[in-house]
């Protein structure tokens, strides 16, 4: 029985795949219907022929991806047990015991000497490997030969054999991005290249444990025998430290032999241990294989061949790890693009349109999402509220608090339009369960359209600039600036009032404007901003666009280091 398992929101939803043709798509007539606009009406098809399942893309719009590789349209390819499939944005897993690949991790128990634990460089488990390290006092491994190379050995030695081995392991790992499957596949290839090998394991460095070696894959040829892999600490240190491949014969460290036995009765163990080197020739782990057969001992030529195979295996593993990182980055970028759209939806889609007044706003986040915030409300027939703030921090943390601030302001203004009452309520709400070190510098502006009076409550933000008809720039006094929102509950904020005369324009801005830096690290500064405003047209939209363009000109291509938000408004002259 085969199943196609949908992996969605932490759940696994199975859909049966029959022995005939199983069509997957968005259309209700499909055998398996996936309700997603990223899935085509008839997206893909499963068929079973001669006991093997095949998958075929039916010319879908977003393509079909199996284990990270996109399928060619209308070209069936075999599908195996636990293969990962992606239709558009829908992630699924194919399950069929009949199609289970031969490559599996060994189920032996974990040795207490080797700590397990999740990490970001391979499988979540350690494949049940049983590996014992010899202690320093009884570490008597006899090193029979060493080989230092850049990961591929000397290609002039046995070139035909090495080329065949490299092609073999490349084919085995081709297109594989699942690191859980890749490492056992490496061992399976080694057992084909070295038919006299009895046991093997792959160990990788765990960066979370100071580079400690952790077993990630394990294999032994015959069941019923001692499957424990015994490694000499001396050899492991030399392999990793010197980036050296080592050939060793070692009977003393094998617990199954008694020291009093005749040497003729000993099954001398021969082993090879080589490093896995990354693109910078730094060791990321090692491969160890051994044999208990005294007749077919490993030779220096075998060691040279293993170094070559390990070089290709390490390269393929590094590429797969980079591909996994790239795919995760793509997923994160997609999620951040969605978050960017959600955040923009929190901003007003249009500003107030009233006779005699003009309004303009510009919002540019330094990252996909930002921590700046603005809003505008018409309250009643003759008043407008402007809400403008800057959350401490940027990126995702700032965006989360920005969304909370936005909903808080909208909710409170449903009940009161009084500036002091509104800001006090906003501050109380944001102080409750506030994230440590997170606050909001904030300007609350109430415009009375009948009297042309502007009432300002400033909670730790830069005071607005006011461009007058004669070209001078006026500012509110600093004495009325209170503490930022979310710092202290029940803080006594003050109000400042001023008539906005005909032809005057008010400029609100966040510190991403005056603190914008050029390639040499020079700030834009408030003084340059004052001088620019004084020379600018009094039309709010023109002034806002000129200011933003001048900030960009000052940055001269340097990446934006903070969110930049500008709001301008004023009376027509």
């Amino acid at each position: 029985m085969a199943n196609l398992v949908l992996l969605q929101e932490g759940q696994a939803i199975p859909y049966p795949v029959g022995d005939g043709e199983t069509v997957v798509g968005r259309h209700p007539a499909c055998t398996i219907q996936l309700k997603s606009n990223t899935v085509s009406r008839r997206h893909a098809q499963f068929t079973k022929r001669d006991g093997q399942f095949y998958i075929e893309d039916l010319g879908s719009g977003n393509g079909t991806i199996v284990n990270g590789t996109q399928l060619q349209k209308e070209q069936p390819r075999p599908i195996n047990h636990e293969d990962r499939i992606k239709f558009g944005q829908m992630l699924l897993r194919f399950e069929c015991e009949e199609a289970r690949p031969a490559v599996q991790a060994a189920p032996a128990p974990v040795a207490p000497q080797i700590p397990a634990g999740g990490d970001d460089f391979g499988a979540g488990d350690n494949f049940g490997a049983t590996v014992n390290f010899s202690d320093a006092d009884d570490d008597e491994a006899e090193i029979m030969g060493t080989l230092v190379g850049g990961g591929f050995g000397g290609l002039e030695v046995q070139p035909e054999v090495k080329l065949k081995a490299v092609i073999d392991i490349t084919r085995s790992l081709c297109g594989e991005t699942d690191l859980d499957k890749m490492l056992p596949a490496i061992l399976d290839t080694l057992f084909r290249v070295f038919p006299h090998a009895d046991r093997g394991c792959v160990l990788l460095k765990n960066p979370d444990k100071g580079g400690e070696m952790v077993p990630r894959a394990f294999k032994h040829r015959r069941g019923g025998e001692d499957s424990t892999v015994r490694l000499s600490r001396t050899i492991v240190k030399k392999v990793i430290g010197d980036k050296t491949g080592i050939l060793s014969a070692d009977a003393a460290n094998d617990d199954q032999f008694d020291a009093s036995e005749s040497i003729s009765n000993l099954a001398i163990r021969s082993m090879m241990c080589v490093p896995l080197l990354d693109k910078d020739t730094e060791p990321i782990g090692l491969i160890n294989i051994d044999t208990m057969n005294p007749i077919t001992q490993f030779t220096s030529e075998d060691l040279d061949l293993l170094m070559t195979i390990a070089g290709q295996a390490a390269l393929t593993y590094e590429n797969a790890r980079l591909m996994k990182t790239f795919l995760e980055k793509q997923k994160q970028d997609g999620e951040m693009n969605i978050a960017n759209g959600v955040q923009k939806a929190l901003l007003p889609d249009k500003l107030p349109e009233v006779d005699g007044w003009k309004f303009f706003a510009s919002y540019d986040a330094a990252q996909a999402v930002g921590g700046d915030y603005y809003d505008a409300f018409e309250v009643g027939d003759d008043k407008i509220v402007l809400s403008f703030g800057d959350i401490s921090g940027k990126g995702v943390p700032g965006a989360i608090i920005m969304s909370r601030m936005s909903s808080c302001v909208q909710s409170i203004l449903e009940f009161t339009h009084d500036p002091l009452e509104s800001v006090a309520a906003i501050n109380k709400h944001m102080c409750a369960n506030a994230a440590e070190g997170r606050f909001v510098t904030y300007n609350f502006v109430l415009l009375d359209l009948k009297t042309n009076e502007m009432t300002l409550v400033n909670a730790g933000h830069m005071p607005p600039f006011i461009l007058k008809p004669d070209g001078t720039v006026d500012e509110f006094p600093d004495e009325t600036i209170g503490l930022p929102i979310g710092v202290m509950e029940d803080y006594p904020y003050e109000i400042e009032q001023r008539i906005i005369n005909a032809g005057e324009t008010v400029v609100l801005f966040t510190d991403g404007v005056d603190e914008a830096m050029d390639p040499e690290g020079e700030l834009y500064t408030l003084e340059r901003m004052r001088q620019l405003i004084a020379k600018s047209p009094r039309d709010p939209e023109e002034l806002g666009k000129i200011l933003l363009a001048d900030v960009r000109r000052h940055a001269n291509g340097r990446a934006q280091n903070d969110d930049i938000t500008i709001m301008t408004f004023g009376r027509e002259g």
Side-chain angles (χ1 to χ4, degrees):
M1 179 66 182
N3 285 303
L4 190 61
V5 181
L6 174 63
L7 308 174
Q8 188 175 44
E9 298 179 352
Q11 295 181 333
I13 306 171
Y15 296 93
V17 177
D19 291 342
E21 293 182 351
T22 303
V23 179
V24 181
R26 194 174 73 249
H27 196 276
C30 292
T31 315
I32 298 176
Q33 183 187 14
L34 299 178
K35 298 179 180 180
S36 170
N37 57 8
T38 64
V39 176
S40 298
R41 293 166 63 85
R42 284 172 54 86
H43 197 106
Q45 177 177 287
F46 292 85
T47 55
K48 187 178 182 181
R49 298 194 301 269
D50 300 326
Q52 172 67 52
F53 281 91
Y54 293 82
I55 184 173
E56 175 183 0
D57 186 276
L58 300 179
S60 64
N62 291 322
T64 300
I65 298 175
V66 178
N67 296 331
T69 302
Q70 184 159 348
L71 302 187
Q72 298 295 322
K73 298 186 186 301
E74 301 180 351
Q75 294 186 16
R77 62 149 281 180
I79 188 78
N80 294 315
H81 179 63
E82 292 188 347
D83 278 353
R84 295 297 180 105
I85 308 169
K86 196 171 183 182
F87 301 133
Q89 296 298 320
M90 307 292 283
L91 181 62
L92 304 99
R93 181 178 66 239
F94 183 76
E95 293 185 348
C96 179
E97 293 297 325
E98 299 173 9
R100 178 183 292 274
V103 178
Q104 296 184 49
V110 180
Q113 293 89 337
I114 305 297
D119 51 59
D120 60 355
F121 59 89
D125 299 322
N126 63 2
F127 288 94
T130 303
V131 179
N132 285 340
F133 285 106
S134 63
D135 294 328
D137 294 338
D138 43 298
D139 189 349
E140 301 175 12
E142 182 182 354
I143 297 177
M144 309 297 293
T146 62
L147 179 65
V148 180
F152 291 92
L155 294 178
E156 69 279 0
V157 181
Q158 295 182 296
E160 298 89 353
V161 177
K162 288 182 178 179
L163 179 59
K164 183 179 182 303
V166 169
I167 292 174
D168 190 13
I169 199 162
T170 301
R171 284 176 175 172
S172 299
L173 306 179
C174 181
E176 184 62 73
T177 58
D178 188 341
L179 302 182
D180 291 0
K181 297 179 180 179
M182 177 173 290
L183 297 177
I186 292 173
L187 290 178
D188 275 1
T189 303
L190 291 178
F191 273 49
R192 291 195 297 270
V193 175
F194 302 103
H196 51 299
D198 290 317
R199 298 174 295 199
C201 65
V202 178
L203 280 73
L204 297 181
K205 282 186 175 181
N206 187 340
D208 296 330
K209 295 182 178 294
E212 189 172 6
M213 301 301 298
V214 177
R216 305 299 294 172
F218 174 75
K219 182 179 178 68
H220 62 96
R221 190 176 298 279
R222 292 180 289 274
E225 295 184 358
D226 180 17
S227 60
T228 302
V229 175
R230 295 172 176 81
L231 295 179
S232 160
R233 291 190 186 276
T234 301
I235 289 178
V236 170
K237 289 180 180 179
K238 186 173 182 62
V239 167
I240 297 299
D242 297 345
K243 307 174 189 177
T244 302
I246 288 180
L247 173 66
S248 171
D250 174 14
N253 282 330
D254 204 320
D255 296 339
Q256 66 177 306
F257 305 121
D258 187 89
S260 63
E261 289 185 294
S262 168
I263 190 67
S264 62
N265 294 327
L266 291 179
I268 302 296
R269 181 165 74 102
S270 176
M271 57 85 72
M272 294 187 294
C273 191
V274 298
L276 291 169
L277 305 178
D278 63 15
K279 59 183 179 61
D280 299 319
T281 68
E282 291 300 319
I284 59 174
L286 59 84
I287 296 176
N288 181 90
I289 61 173
D290 64 35
T291 179
M292 304 302 296
N293 192 330
I295 299 176
T296 55
Q297 299 283 293
F298 293 124
T299 66
S300 58
E301 288 79 9
D302 292 329
L303 179 64
D304 190 51
L305 179 58
L306 181 59
M307 283 287 285
T308 301
I309 296 175
Q312 181 63 29
L315 178 63
T316 307
Y317 177 82
E318 278 288 280
N319 289 339
R321 188 169 64 168
L322 292 174
M323 177 59 71
K324 181 180 178 181
T325 302
F326 172 73
L327 294 175
E328 290 173 351
K329 179 65 165 57
Q330 275 193 320
K331 179 181 177 182
Q332 292 174 358
D333 289 346
E335 292 173 349
M336 291 303 292
N337 287 334
I338 294 173
N340 175 266
V342 171
Q343 185 175 50
K344 286 182 177 179
L346 297 175
L347 302 174
D349 54 357
K350 64 178 182 178
L351 296 174
E353 297 179 1
V354 294
D355 292 338
W357 291 80
K358 284 189 176 181
F359 298 85
F360 169 80
S362 171
Y363 180 89
D364 291 277
Q367 300 176 17
V369 291
D372 283 0
Y373 155 76
Y374 74 88
D375 211 340
F377 305 87
E378 293 187 48
V379 289
D381 297 329
D382 56 2
K383 288 184 174 62
I384 292 177
V385 169
L386 302 177
S387 183
F388 190 88
D390 183 0
I391 286 81
S392 61
K394 50 185 176 293
V396 174
I400 293 174
I401 297 177
M402 178 271 198
S403 64
R404 183 183 175 194
M405 182 75 177
S406 173
S407 62
C408 172
V409 171
Q410 293 185 22
S411 176
I412 288 171
L413 288 179
E414 290 286 332
F415 302 98
T416 179
H417 304 149
D418 180 86
L420 285 179
E421 288 183 8
S422 299
V423 174
I426 293 168
N427 182 53
K428 182 176 181 179
H429 178 86
M430 296 299 291
C431 282
N433 302 318
E436 184 177 355
R438 301 290 178 179
F439 55 85
V440 184
T441 63
Y442 181 62
N443 277 334
F444 183 98
V445 176
L446 178 67
L447 296 177
D448 190 322
L449 302 180
K450 288 184 177 180
T451 63
N452 298 318
E453 185 176 54
M454 168 182 171
T455 302
L456 171 69
V457 179
N458 191 329
H461 201 80
M462 289 81 66
F465 288 152
I466 303 174
L467 175 60
K468 300 170 74 173
D470 61 1
T472 59
V473 177
D474 199 3
E475 299 178 42
F476 283 95
D478 292 341
E479 290 77 12
T480 58
I481 300 177
L483 288 180
I485 298 293
V487 173
M488 186 176 77
E489 192 172 345
D490 298 327
Y491 179 83
Y493 291 100
E494 301 179 25
I495 62 172
E496 185 74 17
Q497 294 177 311
R498 184 188 191 282
I499 298 295
I500 302 300
N501 298 306
E504 290 187 333
T505 300
V506 182
V507 181
L508 298 172
F509 58 97
T510 59
D511 57 7
V513 176
D514 61 291
E515 294 180 1
M517 288 188 284
D518 65 9
E520 286 72 39
E522 294 293 327
L523 298 177
Y524 184 73
T525 72
L526 289 173
E527 183 56 35
R528 174 168 174 169
M529 184 177 171
R530 289 190 190 94
Q531 294 175 7
L532 178 79
I533 291 174
K535 298 183 295 184
S536 298
R538 292 189 298 274
D539 180 81
E541 183 173 355
E542 286 188 59
L543 193 156
K545 290 181 177 179
I546 288 173
L547 176 58
L548 180 60
D550 195 56
V551 172
R552 298 291 188 207
R553 193 178 303 112
H554 171 78
N556 194 23
R558 175 168 178 155
Q560 190 174 324
N561 61 295
D562 200 358
D563 305 325
I564 296 176
T565 305
I566 299 169
M567 176 180 276
T568 55
F569 62 92
R571 287 182 61 193
E572 295 178 343

